[in-house]
Amino acid sequence: GVAGGGLEGLLPLAVFSVHLDATSEEKRVKQLSGCLEIAKEAGTRCVLIAGDMNTPMGRGSAMRALVGDEGDATEEEIAAECAAALRLDPA
């Protein structure tokens, strides 16, 4: 916020509106990583990312690992998310 204003105490915020790749988890991770790198270079730790992620971001997915901190996913969760990201039959 502006010095002396009502929002002065707030930390800087980076806001991103995204439409991530619909066909590749690798590309989505790279695109989202780019947003986080820009925020880091700008010197902010507060980031708001909104838009079409084109992924459910389930536990075990690369995207969830990139933005979340919920501990390690099980092998089954990772396998299921990899299959979903690659559009494979889960059977």
Side-chain angles (χ1 to χ4, degrees):
V2 177
L7 303 177
E8 180 178 17
L10 297 178
L11 296 173
L13 172 67
V15 179
F16 297 92
S17 175
V18 300
H19 186 188
L20 302 182
D21 190 88
T23 62
S24 168
E25 181 86 348
E26 184 177 349
K27 288 180 183 177
R28 288 189 291 273
V29 168
K30 191 175 284 190
Q31 291 167 330
L32 190 57
S33 293
C35 293
L36 297 176
E37 187 59 35
I38 290 168
K40 182 178 176 182
E41 289 172 4
T44 182
R45 293 179 53 177
C46 296
V47 179
L48 172 64
I49 302 172
D52 187 348
M53 303 292 182
N54 273 313
T55 185
M57 295 182 74
R59 190 170 154 81
S61 72
M63 293 292 287
R64 176 85 165 257
L66 184 62
V67 297
D69 186 19
E70 298 179 4
D72 295 334
T74 66
E75 291 290 326
E76 292 80 17
E77 289 170 325
I78 293 170
E81 287 303 319
C82 287
L86 295 171
R87 313 280 198 268
L88 300 176
D89 184 4

